[in-house]
């Protein structure tokens, strides 16, 4: 189904990747491609807070304090598995480093700032825990090995099986250092899909040997917007691609076909969110429609230093359009499995900006590591899970500073998150979701004080630290882990579904063989597949996927590590 034009629904990484491959491999001109999207970054955002306040999701949640920075997520990459992402970044110039591609920029930064986490887990009374001791028993090892050994063609055995169900006779698993690190590095919950955990076990098998130091983790020089999205946007604009923002695609027009199963888009309904006008954009026979059918940052809301983020109950706009397609065709999956189960997908994050390095230096002293190297997770000292077990309270990422190009030398930006926002703080006695930015900072200082080796506990500097905070922006993301929700393989449409003549699905809610989700990698690959399909390029030319799970040396190392 070779096409000569493309309409992109959603302007995130996946569709921008599709556009780059159409131009560079399909030899299309930029003016053959048009983007419609609610914003021009998707989940990969980041910038000065005041730049975000007018965006669609924040319209009903105006911020009193618009200072400081915000990014809804931190980012960890992994060159060894993120082969399609690195291929993409190698095709576009860096925005901040003259003469380098975006990939060279990231590799250069990374070579000079290697990740070596020295305080992956911390716990009150113990301080830094030796995460090198995974704490697995034989039952854990057997169940994990079964996941590693389960071949791709048997993964449907894990259709609709949660991680909790998979380990139902082995609650010990959820009290191991291995689990605490795995759940917070990748954001799995016990309610998440065991099928996806199997995929991670396969694609990230080599992480087993280094998970406590995050040695395989690579990071971009600045936040993901400036180091990845801006280079893409600049490149695509330079090629003549059209970006139409502040638009929600709300509905479809499909052609009729004799068996009612041929998927041919003939029009899309587009709403302009600035003036609420609607238009029908016709889609002709020569046009491909490439749709990112789910975004984990849809329906997010922001708060500020003195205001909690108020939950936004709007159903995700991407899933709403996906749902409309499933109402017409039977082979396009089950959006509600992912988007109607917020309690299993929500998290709350925060971006804290200070006017000096006091907090940064205190964290460096307590964790014994330089900024930029870590993901620090604070383990509870009392049971907090439904199973009556201990678990991680909160995690922080102290970026290499500066994390934003406009950040002043005296400023610090730190990101953190609560995987279970309905749990109650230990120091501020309310649910994390209900906390203001100030209260989240107080909770963080409290957690740090519990693991502080002294002699002068951080608690004594609380007033001074709070005084140094320019802003702390809580962000509630109802769908942050939606992609991990329990599922069957048929719950997501394939990138090119059967009987589709011009519609492709991209991003984290499209099914593609082997790829693990919640990664920039799988998002890019889905775009690459869609582009090759519509440009008539053989799939043999896709970037080759490394299979560490089939490498005997890697498997042996992982097996040995399970016994540590
Ligand atoms: C908190 C957080 C932490 C993360 N950490 C990591 C990490 O450490 N490592 C990693 O690799 N990845 C991480 N990710 C995941 C990564 O950001 C995603 O994999 C990637 O952004 C997905 O890109 P995408 O283009 O598929 O979707 P998105 O980035 O979500 O972009 C899709 C865009 O299309 C829009 N859209 C869809 N439908 C419509 C419509 N009908 N009308 C208008 N607009 C529409 C959406 O609203 C959205 O803006 C993280 C994500 C979050 C939120």
């Amino acid at each position: 189904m070779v096409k000569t034009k493309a309409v992109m629904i959603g302007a995130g990484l996946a569709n921008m990747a599709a556009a780059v491959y159409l131009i560079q491999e399909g030899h299309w001109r930029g003016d053959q491609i048009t983007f419609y999207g609610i914003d021009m970054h998707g989940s990969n955002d980041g910038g000065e807070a005041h730049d975000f306040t007018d965006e669609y999701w924040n319209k009903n949640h105006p911020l009193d304090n618009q200072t400081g920075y915000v990014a809804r997520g931190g980012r960890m990459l992994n060159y060894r598995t993120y082969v399609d992402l690195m291929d993409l970044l190698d095709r576009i110039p860096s925005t901040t480093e003259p003469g380098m591609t975006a990939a060279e920029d990231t590799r250069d930064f990374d070579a000079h700032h290697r990740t070596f986490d020295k305080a992956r887990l911390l716990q009150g009374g113990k301080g830094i825990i030796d995460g090198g001791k995974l704490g697995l028993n034989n039952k854990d090892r057997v169940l994990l090995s079964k996941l590693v050994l389960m071949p791709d063609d048997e993964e449907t055995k894990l259709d609709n099986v949660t991680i909790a169900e998979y380990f139902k006779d082995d609650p010990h698993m959820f009290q191991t250092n291995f689990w605490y690190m795995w759940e917070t590095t990748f954001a799995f919950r016990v309610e998440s899909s065991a099928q996806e955990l199997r995929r991670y076990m396969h694609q990230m098998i080599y992480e087993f040997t280094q998970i406590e130091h995050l040695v395989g983790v690579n990071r971009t020089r600045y936040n993901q917007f400036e180091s990845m999205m801006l280079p893409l946007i600049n490149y695509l604009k330079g090629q003549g691609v059209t970006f139409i923002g502040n638009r929600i695609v709300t509905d479809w027009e499909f052609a009729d076909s004799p068996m009612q199963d041929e998927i041919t888009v003939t029009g899309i309904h587009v709403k302009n969110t600035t003036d609420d006008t609607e238009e029908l954009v016709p889609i002709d026979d020569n046009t491909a429609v490439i749709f990112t059918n789910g975004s984990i940052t849809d329906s997010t809301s922001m708060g500020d230093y003195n205001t909690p983020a108020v939950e936004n109950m709007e159903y995700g706009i991407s899933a709403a359009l996906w749902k409309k397609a499933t109402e017409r065709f039977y082979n396009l999956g089950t959006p509600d499995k992912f988007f109607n189960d917020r309690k299993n997908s929500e998290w709350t994050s925060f971006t804290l900006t200070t006017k000096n390095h006091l907090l940064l230096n205190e964290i460096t002293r307590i964790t014994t590591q330089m900024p930029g190297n870590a993901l620090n997770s604070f383990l509870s000292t009392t049971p907090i899970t439904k199973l009556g077990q201990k678990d991680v309270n909160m995690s922080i990422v102290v970026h290499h500073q500066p994390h934003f190009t406009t950040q002043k030398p005296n400023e610090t930006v730190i990101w953190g998150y609560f995987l279970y926002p309905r749990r109650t703080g230990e120091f501020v006695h309310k649910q994390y979701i209900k906390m203001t930015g100030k209260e989240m900072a107080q909770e963080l200082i409290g957690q740090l004080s519990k693991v502080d080796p002294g002699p002068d506990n951080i608690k004594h500097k609380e007033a001074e630290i709070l005084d140094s905070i320019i802003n702390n922006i809580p962000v509630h993301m109802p769908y942050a882990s939606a992609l991990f929700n329990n599922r069957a393989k048929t719950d997501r449409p394939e990138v090119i579904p059967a009987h589709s003549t011009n519609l492709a699905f991209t991003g984290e809610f499209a099914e593609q063989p082997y790829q693990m989700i919640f990664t920039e990698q799988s998002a890019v690959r889905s775009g690459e597949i869609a582009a090759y399909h519509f440009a008539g390029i053989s799939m043999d030319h896709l970037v080759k996927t490394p299979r560490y799970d089939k490498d005997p040396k890697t498997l042996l190392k992982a097996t040995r590590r399970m016994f540590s």
Side-chain angles (χ1 to χ4, degrees), residues 9-15 36-39 41-44 57 72-77 82 185 229 247-250 291-298 317-319 321 347 349 415 477 480 483 506-508 517-523 526:
I9 305 179
L13 179 64
N15 280 357
Y36 291 94
I38 192 62
D39 56 41
H41 47 69
S43 300
N44 287 305
W57 298 118
R72 288 176 290 193
R75 281 300 172 284
M76 294 186 279
L77 313 178
Y82 285 32
T185 304
M229 298 310 281
R247 298 293 190 281
I248 301 179
V249 180
T250 55
F291 169 39
T292 303
N293 57 308
S295 173
I296 57 176
T297 45
D298 273 1
I317 54 166
S318 39
L321 186 65
W347 3 319
S349 73
W415 181 83
M477 297 176 278
L483 60 210
T506 56
E508 307 283 22
I517 37 163
F518 218 145
T519 60
E520 319 264 79
Q521 158 61 22
S522 65
S526 65

Side-chain angles (χ1 to χ4, degrees), residues 122-148:
L122 302 115
Q123 191 174 33
K126 293 187 182 158
I128 299 169
I129 291 181
D130 180 4
K133 294 196 172 64
L134 298 184
L136 300 170
N137 67 18
N138 280 341
K139 215 169 187 178
D140 305 328
R141 291 182 192 114
V142 168
L143 286 168
L144 283 174
S145 303
K146 274 189 180 166
L147 283 181
V148 176

Side-chain angles (χ1 to χ4, degrees), residues 393-407:
N393 279 317
M394 70 186 296
S395 300
I396 53 168
V397 171
V398 181
H399 305 291
H400 180 275
Q401 307 295 320
H403 191 52
F404 295 89
T405 52
T406 54
Q407 203 178 316

Side-chain angles (χ1 to χ4, degrees), residues 101-133:
T101 66
E104 286 164 351
D105 169 8
T106 294
R107 287 186 201 278
D108 175 68
F109 172 76
D110 204 68
H112 293 98
H113 304 87
R114 291 271 184 233
T115 299
F116 191 84
D117 198 330
K118 290 161 92 179
R120 183 66 193 79
L121 293 175
L122 302 115
Q123 191 174 33
K126 293 187 182 158
I128 299 169
I129 291 181
D130 180 4
K133 294 196 172 64

Side-chain angles (χ1 to χ4, degrees), residues 56-57 248 293-295 297-300 312-324 326-327 334-342 478-479:
Y56 177 76
W57 298 118
I248 301 179
N293 57 308
S295 173
T297 45
D298 273 1
S299 313
T300 56
N312 182 342
M313 296 311 293
E314 187 176 342
Y315 194 81
I317 54 166
S318 39
L321 186 65
W322 176 18
K323 208 166 169 174
K324 289 234 162 104
T326 63
E327 284 160 9
T334 325
D336 274 350
K337 271 242 177 102
F338 307 97
F339 288 90
N340 211 12
D341 187 11
R342 290 175 168 218
Y479 304 125

